[in-house]
Amino acid sequence: MSEIHESNQAQADFWSSAGTLWTALRERFDDQAGDHGIAAIDALAPAPGERILDIGCGAGSATIDLAGRVGPEGSVRGLDISPTMIDGARELAASSGVTNVSFEVADAMVAPFEGDHDGLYSRFGVMFFSDPVRGFANMRTALRPGGRIGFVCWQTPVQNEWASVPLSVIGQFAEMPFGADPTAPGPFSLSDPARLEQLLTDAGYTDVELAGREVSVKLGDSMGEAVDFLFGLMPPAAALRANDPETAEKVAAALVEAFADWEGDDGVLAPSATWIVTGRSPD
């Protein structure tokens, strides 16, 4: 385990606590976010034999996908700040028989790198740094000269109704742990395209490009699955379910009403929008 910077310790504590649940819900998260993640892998275009670094790898699904792209002659190294998620990632690799991956607990903002990777990837794992320029600059040191970066992050909450609608509903019943600063560490901290491009430029990347992507994401095969998924995803709702079941039932009913227009034959599908981001380390 590498050093966790003190400014990222709260994130480490949160994701360590949440990691067990997120690992248990891995397939649900893959249904919800996996399509965006595959688009970012396509944009990175890993080739057979390459070495790829997966930042914020979580429970390892995208790392396994990357491993298939680089083949047995290549390798993928997954980093995450959560020990519980890294445990889940290692279990997934072992059960899948994938041997060209490795996983470690690390804070990518300060972890030491050797500049020997061909590509840097992340599926929604780079929005949580206390100092994003420092984080992206440090991650760039993992790349060889001319190495590539490709990742996906969320656009604004307004464009991601899968999140903003339930957040609004839950906020009627529970205090939400979010401040007024839209650039503070969190899922939407990189939503401003001009700011995001400037952060990467300041961190030393070149040829930075952002491609907007809008697709519907699946919250569940049924309304019950969708509600359960959001309760697991959002800590205030989970806390209500554990400590105030009566209020949690009211939240669930309100979510069912809010999701009514999203339910169809293919499940509960909600609007989402991301940035697919690419760039390079200077030659």
Side-chain angles (χ1 to χ4, degrees):
M1 180 187 296
S2 71
E3 171 193 3
I4 304 296
H5 192 271
E6 60 180 9
S7 63
N8 291 326
Q9 189 59 54
Q11 290 288 339
D13 293 341
F14 171 78
W15 291 110
S16 295
S17 176
T20 300
L21 177 62
W22 279 60
T23 298
L25 295 176
R26 179 194 292 116
E27 292 184 5
R28 294 267 192 95
F29 290 124
D30 290 343
D31 281 344
Q32 187 254 348
D35 185 66
H36 286 301
I38 293 297
I41 292 178
D42 290 341
L44 178 65
E50 288 193 321
R51 302 185 65 182
I52 306 296
L53 185 65
D54 182 5
I55 300 294
C57 65
S61 298
T63 320
I64 300 300
D65 290 336
L66 288 162
R69 300 289 186 103
V70 301
E73 63 272 36
S75 64
V76 186
R77 179 185 177 195
L79 305 185
D80 201 280
I81 207 167
S82 167
T84 50
M85 287 196 181
I86 289 296
D87 287 344
R90 288 170 176 156
E91 291 173 3
L92 177 64
S95 65
S96 303
V98 177
T99 58
N100 61 335
V101 296
S102 62
F103 297 97
E104 61 187 275
V105 179
D107 181 351
M109 194 175 87
V110 294
F113 296 118
E114 297 181 1
D116 56 355
H117 289 81
D118 301 289
L120 176 70
Y121 171 84
S122 183
R123 187 182 84 175
F124 304 111
V126 292
M127 301 95 72
F128 305 96
F129 294 113
S130 60
D131 184 340
V133 171
R134 180 176 178 180
F136 280 118
N138 190 59
M139 288 186 287
R140 186 173 58 80
T141 67
L143 293 172
R144 61 168 175 77
R148 312 180 311 283
I149 183 172
F151 67 88
V152 58
C153 60
W154 299 112
Q155 294 190 38
T156 66
V158 171
Q159 295 164 288
N160 283 284
E161 292 184 66
W162 70 268
S164 59
V165 169
L167 284 172
S168 177
V169 169
I170 295 166
Q172 299 173 32
F173 298 89
E175 183 177 355
M176 303 302 291
F178 307 108
D181 183 0
T183 67
F188 303 104
S189 68
L190 301 180
S191 60
D192 183 327
R195 176 175 179 269
L196 175 53
E197 185 172 356
Q198 189 62 56
L199 289 173
L200 291 168
T201 300
D202 290 347
Y205 295 89
T206 63
D207 303 322
V208 175
E209 295 185 6
L210 280 66
R213 190 167 189 273
E214 297 183 10
V215 298
S216 293
V217 294
K218 180 180 284 190
L219 301 183
D221 290 323
S222 66
M223 186 63 76
E225 278 193 6
V227 170
D228 284 344
F229 174 72
L230 268 303
F231 267 89
L233 183 67
M234 299 183 174
L240 284 177
R241 178 165 279 182
N243 302 313
D244 188 351
E246 183 176 345
T247 301
E249 286 298 319
K250 295 178 182 179
V251 173
L255 289 174
V256 168
E257 182 177 354
F259 295 168
D261 291 341
W262 297 344
E263 187 176 22
D265 293 340
D266 294 326
V268 181
L269 304 178
S272 76
T274 59
W275 295 117
I276 305 297
V277 185
T278 55
R280 289 185 176 273
S281 181
D283 291 328

